[in-house]
């Protein structure tokens, strides 16, 4: 069977029709200096003339991050290399879903009207957004989106503790076990972590593409970083290094910092810094799932 065309309306149980057989996605880009990038829709498209996000229908089997990036390129000439996707929020209507991908733009990137679906692309200061004539779905979502704008999830992983919680023979080859853990962590770095797993309290509709920092010690210190996973070796005491990494991340107070460890004393030390803690079991379920 040939796949259905992605670009059509879906009749939804909410009584409305939505665009996109496989759902739709939009990109909410922010730049600390300029605000957020909004698109005024051309008069002839659905909900024409209102302000909303560059975005559109997902292709079959396309990830929301890829779809948002593709649409930003097609509609606003924003290359995917010019921003970093950090989180996503889903509006789930069952038969149809809309995902807003939140990203941070390079300060130099210039947006422009790149196809006929846009009338204008504009950087709008945050306090001026609600004053525009917004698409009604974006207007409803904006207050919640604004709260997480620009925020990053920093996931600090206590390698020794997480490795120690799974009896896979790690004690025979600590270096190899740390490399396995590092490679597994590229999964959440690419796919994202749902808020139900990391427990930030943003609600189950949110997920995050984390900055992952793996702290290694002892025989695992030589482990090299890979794309998506930073590796920080502890020269002496692993716990102190984890506290140092968490404290450095907390220098950006809006970011969410989560430390993965079961070590009771360490959990107390990082909690004192305002970091959250996650048990190794919850992370490993996610890595194996
Ligand atoms: Zn609906």
């Amino acid at each position: 069977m040939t796949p259905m065309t992605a670009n059509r309306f879906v009749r939804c149980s909410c009584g409305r029709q939505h665009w996109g057989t496989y759902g739709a996605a939009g990109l909410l880009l922010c730049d600390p200096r300029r605000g957020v990038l909004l698109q005024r829709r051309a008069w002839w498209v659905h909900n024409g003339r209102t302000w909303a996000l560059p975005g559109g229908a997902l292709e079959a089997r396309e990830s929301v991050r890829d779809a948002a990036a593709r649409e930003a390129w097609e509609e606003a000439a924003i290359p995917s290399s010019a921003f970093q996707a950090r989180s996503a929020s889903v509006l789930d209507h069952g038969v149809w879903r809309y995902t807003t991908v939140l990203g941070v733009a390079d300060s130099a990137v210039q947006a422009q009207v790149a196809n006929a679906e846009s009338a204008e692309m504009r950087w709008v200061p945050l306090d001026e957004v609600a004053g525009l004539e917004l698409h009604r779905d974006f207007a409803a979502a904006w207050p919640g989106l604004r709260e997480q704008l620009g925020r990053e999830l920093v996931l600090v992983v206590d390698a020794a503790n997480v490795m120690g919680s799974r009896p896979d023979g790690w004690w025979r080859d600590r270096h190899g076990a740390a490399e396995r853990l590092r490679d597994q962590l590229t999964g959440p770095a690419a796919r994202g972590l749902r808020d139900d797993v990391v427990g930030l309290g943003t609600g189950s509709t949110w997920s995050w593409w984390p900055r992952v920092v793996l702290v290694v010690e002892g025989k695992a210190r030589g482990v090299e970083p890979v794309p998506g996973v930073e590796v920080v070796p502890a020269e002496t005491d692993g716990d102190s290094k984890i506290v140092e990494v968490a404290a450095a991340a907390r220098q950006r107070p809006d970011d969410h910092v989560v430390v993965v460890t079961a070590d009771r004393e360490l959990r107390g030390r990082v909690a004192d810094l305002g970091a959250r803690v996650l048990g190794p079991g919850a992370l490993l379920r996610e890595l194996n799932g």
Side-chain angles (χ1 to χ4, degrees):
M1 200 176 93
T2 47
M4 279 188 288
T5 172
N7 294 297
R8 66 174 182 88
F9 282 102
V10 174
R11 187 171 295 281
C12 184
S13 51
C14 75
R16 291 166 59 191
Q17 299 207 70
H18 305 297
W19 184 247
T21 306
Y22 307 103
L27 180 64
L28 176 57
L29 265 194
C30 77
D31 173 339
R33 282 188 311 115
R34 294 180 287 183
V36 289
L37 182 65
L38 298 186
Q39 173 203 54
R40 190 157 66 85
R41 299 155 77 91
W43 63 270
W44 56 270
V45 301
H46 194 48
N47 296 293
R49 293 200 173 92
T50 59
W51 289 90
L53 305 178
L58 264 64
E59 302 290 346
R61 292 178 297 281
E62 186 178 40
S63 74
V64 292
R65 187 160 62 163
D66 288 348
R70 175 179 52 73
E71 292 283 347
W73 171 251
E74 289 173 5
E75 297 184 347
I78 303 271
S80 61
S81 58
F83 71 92
Q84 186 196 20
R86 291 195 171 165
S87 62
S89 172
V90 181
L91 178 70
D92 193 346
H93 282 203
V95 296
W96 182 85
R97 292 153 65 94
Y98 182 91
T99 306
T100 306
V101 173
L102 288 78
V104 176
D106 292 351
S107 57
V109 70
Q110 297 297 326
Q112 62 192 63
V113 172
N115 73 12
E117 289 168 32
S118 312
E120 186 182 346
M121 302 295 314
R122 191 194 292 175
W123 291 96
V124 181
L126 302 190
D127 288 332
E128 295 174 19
V129 171
L132 295 173
E133 191 191 333
L134 303 176
H135 183 289
R136 70 176 185 180
D137 293 337
F138 178 60
W142 168 244
L145 297 170
R146 179 177 181 170
E147 247 175 70
Q148 302 303 328
L149 211 55
R151 300 174 83 171
E152 184 168 44
L153 167 60
V154 184
L155 191 72
V156 184
V157 181
D158 179 351
N161 191 274
V162 174
M163 279 153 49
S165 73
R166 61 175 169 189
D168 63 351
W170 56 267
W171 50 87
R172 287 190 293 271
D173 178 10
R174 287 162 201 258
H175 186 275
E179 284 185 329
R180 280 203 301 282
L181 177 60
R182 174 202 64 191
D183 293 346
Q184 280 191 298
L185 284 165
T186 60
R191 284 194 309 272
L193 280 170
R194 283 174 298 111
D195 190 82
D196 331 18
V197 176
V198 280
L200 305 181
T202 51
S204 59
T205 58
W206 283 85
S207 58
W208 300 80
W209 289 284
R211 178 185 153 218
V212 180
V213 185
L214 182 64
V215 179
V216 293
E217 57 189 289
K219 291 199 167 75
R221 270 184 304 180
V223 168
E224 299 282 336
V226 292
V229 181
E230 299 167 37
V231 177
V232 173
E235 301 315 325
T236 51
D237 168 26
D239 289 5
S240 296
K241 181 57 81 174
I242 288 162
V243 170
E244 186 188 314
V245 169
R250 289 290 300 154
Q251 295 293 309
R252 286 172 43 90
D254 287 342
D255 286 350
H256 303 286
V257 181
V258 175
V259 176
V260 187
T261 186
D263 184 293
R264 183 183 294 232
E265 194 218 331
L266 179 58
R267 289 169 82 104
R269 289 170 74 187
V270 297
D272 288 345
L273 296 168
R276 290 168 191 273
V277 288
L278 181 69
L283 177 69
L284 290 172
R285 275 193 298 281
E286 187 67 19
L287 298 184
N288 298 327

